[in-house]
């Protein structure tokens, strides 16, 4: 089932557990810290859970950046896996 997993990371669309793990392992920072501001959840009709997270992320010695992450935890027997995951830094560019 995990091969149905989808992730969007800053406009890059990735599918399948193996490719998602390769993307996560390719990130170049050495340290990471996060502060969660809010978590909203909703049950879905099929028993899955929709989760929306708002927080700040700090990697290495960079300034903290706000992020949003939305994902679906899909039931697999007594366990859950992330079937859909969207992650976005909240960057605003001035023109």
């Amino acid at each position: 089932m995990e091969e149905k997993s989808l992730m969007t990371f800053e406009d890059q669309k990735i599918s399948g557990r193996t490719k998602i793990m390769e993307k996560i392992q390719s990130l170049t920072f050495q340290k990471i810290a996060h502060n969660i501001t809010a978590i909203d959840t909703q049950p879905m009709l099929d028993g899955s859970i929709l989760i929306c997270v708002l927080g700040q992320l700090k990697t290495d010695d960079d300034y903290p950046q706000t992020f949003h992450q939305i994902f679906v935890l899909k039931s697999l027997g007594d366990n859950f896996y992330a079937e859909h995951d969207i992650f976005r830094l909240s960057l605003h560019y001035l023109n």
Side-chain angles (χ1 to χ4, degrees):
M1 291 300 234
E2 295 92 344
E3 290 310 313
K4 292 182 180 180
S5 296
L6 302 170
M7 181 172 90
T8 302
F9 183 89
E10 296 296 324
D11 286 333
Q12 184 180 9
K13 296 183 183 353
I14 306 160
S15 64
R17 179 179 177 218
T18 302
K19 295 288 184 187
I20 291 170
M21 290 304 298
E22 287 172 2
K23 174 61 183 173
I24 291 169
Q25 292 169 348
S26 75
L27 299 173
T28 59
F29 52 82
Q30 299 298 310
K31 297 182 294 184
I32 186 169
H34 62 275
N35 291 315
I36 304 300
T37 304
I39 299 175
D40 296 303
T41 62
Q42 292 183 359
M44 299 176 67
L45 295 176
D46 67 353
S48 300
I49 304 168
L50 175 65
I51 302 170
C52 179
V53 179
L54 170 65
Q56 284 192 323
L57 184 69
K58 183 174 178 4
T59 56
D60 294 331
D61 295 323
D62 296 335
Y63 291 104
Q65 298 182 47
T66 301
F67 75 91
H68 292 87
Q69 185 174 15
I70 300 169
F71 57 99
V72 173
L73 289 181
K74 184 82 170 177
S75 176
L76 184 63
D78 291 338
N79 298 306
F80 286 88
Y81 68 96
E83 185 174 67
H84 300 277
D85 188 349
I86 300 172
F87 178 88
R88 167 104 32 205
L89 292 173
S90 299
L91 303 175
H92 300 276
Y93 300 103
L94 300 175
N95 292 331

